[in-house]
C-alpha cells in the first residue's frame, strides 16, 4: 500500500509578484527550492493564508537570493503581492517507509523570503 505524505513545505512566504500573462507556474527563489528539496517542474500545492485560496501548479526556479515568489498565468488571479503563502509538495511512499520519512520544512524570513 502507498500513502501520500508531505515531502516539502515552505512555510509563510510573501508573494512578490503575479504575472497573468506568463504561461503558468510558480516562480520560487532557487535557494528556497533547494532547501525544500523541490525540483523544477514538480507539482506544488499553494495555500494562500491571506485569502483562503488553494491551487496546484508547478515550480520553476527564480534567481537565487532574490526571495522571488511569483504566481504566473491564471494562478496570478488568486494572489496579490504581499499575500502570505504556504507551499507544499507530496510524495507517494510505501506505508512502512512513510512512517519513517521526514519532510523538508523551510521557514524563511517573512519580510524578504530569504534563508537568513
Amino acid at each position: 500500500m502507498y500513502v501520500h505524505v508531505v515531502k516539502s513545505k515552505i512555510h509563510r512566504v510573501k508573494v512578490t509578484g503575479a504575472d497573468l500573462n506568463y504561461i503558468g507556474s510558480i516562480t520560487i527563489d532557487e535557494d528556497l527550492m533547494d532547501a525544500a528539496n523541490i525540483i523544477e517542474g514538480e507539482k506544488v500545492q499553494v495555500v494562500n493564508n491571506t485569502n483562503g485560496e488553494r491551487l496546484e501548479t508547478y515550480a520553476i526556479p527564480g534567481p537565487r537570493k532574490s526571495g522571488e515568489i511569483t504566481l504566473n498565468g491564471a494562478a496570478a488571479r488568486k494572489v496579490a503581492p504581499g499575500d502570505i503563502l504556504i507551499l507544499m509538495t507530496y510524495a507517494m511512499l510505501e506505508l512502512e517507509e512513510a512512517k519513517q520519512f521526514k519532510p523538508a520544512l523551510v521557514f524563511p524570513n517573512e519580510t524578504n523570503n530569504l534563508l537568513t
Side-chain angles (χ1 to χ4, degrees), residues 14-19 25-28 60 68-72 79:
K14 190 181 299 184
V15 174
T16 60
D19 186 353
S25 68
I26 182 170
T27 305
I28 304 170
I60 59 172
E68 182 175 358
I69 301 291
T70 300
L71 274 292
N72 303 303
V79 301

Side-chain angles (χ1 to χ4, degrees), residues 64-111:
R64 291 184 183 279
K65 301 194 183 350
S66 67
E68 182 175 358
I69 301 291
T70 300
L71 274 292
N72 303 303
R77 294 197 182 276
K78 304 290 186 179
V79 301
D83 283 0
I84 301 298
L85 307 180
I86 297 172
L87 310 177
M88 294 173 284
T89 66
Y90 298 87
M92 286 184 60
L93 301 175
E94 290 190 17
L95 182 60
E96 292 307 312
E97 182 182 8
K99 290 178 181 180
Q100 305 301 318
F101 181 77
K102 301 291 182 226
L105 305 175
V106 178
F107 300 91
N109 181 315
E110 286 189 43
T111 59

Side-chain angles (χ1 to χ4, degrees), residues 10 13 29-36 64-65 67 105-109 112-116:
I10 302 175
V13 287
D29 178 321
E30 196 166 4
D31 286 340
L32 293 174
M33 288 178 62
D34 288 348
R64 291 184 183 279
K65 301 194 183 350
L105 305 175
V106 178
F107 300 91
N109 181 315
N112 59 16
N113 296 336
L114 298 178
L115 298 170
T116 56

Side-chain angles (χ1 to χ4, degrees), residues 5-24:
V5 297
V6 174
K7 177 183 130 318
S8 309
K9 180 177 180 184
I10 302 175
H11 191 74
R12 296 186 61 84
V13 287
K14 190 181 299 184
V15 174
T16 60
D19 186 353
L20 184 61
N21 295 313
Y22 192 83
I23 294 170

